[in-house]
Amino acid sequence: MGKFVITKRANGEFQFNLKAGNGQTILTSEGYTTKAACTNGIESVKTNSQDDARFDKKESSNGKPYFNLKATNGQIIGASEMYESTSARDNGIASVKTNAPDATTDDQTA
């Protein structure tokens, strides 16, 4: 089962990582100024991860595939790692769709 891990960045911002059952990070958030905003971001991932249209498949300047998960307003709520192939990226998207809805939250800032 997946989990969202909330941490604090060096600059004081909060962020979350969605980790798959094996502990691998499959989605990383932007920085949030408050923990409440970070928690809202997690809820947004849970909702938006079930809509294929919310996944924006991209390719980095060095040719590595990755994806962004966007909210209904078009704002990026999470980004993936860089993958070695488009099939690996698509597996990452499938993993987010599987893990996000029922993921627990591990707040490591408390």
Side-chain angles (χ1 to χ4, degrees):
M1 176 144 113
K3 69 177 175 178
F4 289 95
V5 179
I6 299 174
T7 56
K8 208 168 195 180
R9 294 180 173 178
N11 66 2
E13 290 184 336
F14 295 90
Q15 78 169 50
F16 63 82
N17 288 315
L18 173 59
K19 295 183 179 274
N22 63 5
Q24 182 178 1
T25 298
I26 50 179
L27 194 72
T28 300
S29 75
E30 63 180 356
Y32 294 95
T33 53
T34 65
K35 191 185 294 186
C38 187
T39 303
N40 287 343
I42 289 172
E43 291 306 314
S44 185
V45 169
K46 288 182 176 187
T47 302
N48 288 291
S49 64
Q50 300 311 294
D51 184 346
D52 287 335
R54 301 278 174 255
F55 289 93
D56 192 10
K57 297 178 181 182
K58 308 287 253 177
E59 191 173 285
S60 67
S61 56
N62 65 358
K64 296 208 183 267
Y66 70 101
F67 64 88
N68 291 322
L69 177 61
K70 292 186 172 184
T72 50
N73 64 3
Q75 184 178 0
I76 295 171
I77 47 179
S80 74
E81 65 181 356
M82 298 294 164
Y83 292 98
E84 293 301 318
S85 67
T86 54
S87 62
R89 176 194 61 205
D90 293 345
N91 288 342
I93 290 171
S95 184
V96 170
K97 292 176 77 167
T98 300
N99 285 284
D102 301 315
T104 58
T105 300
D106 178 6
D107 184 353
Q108 298 186 350
T109 67

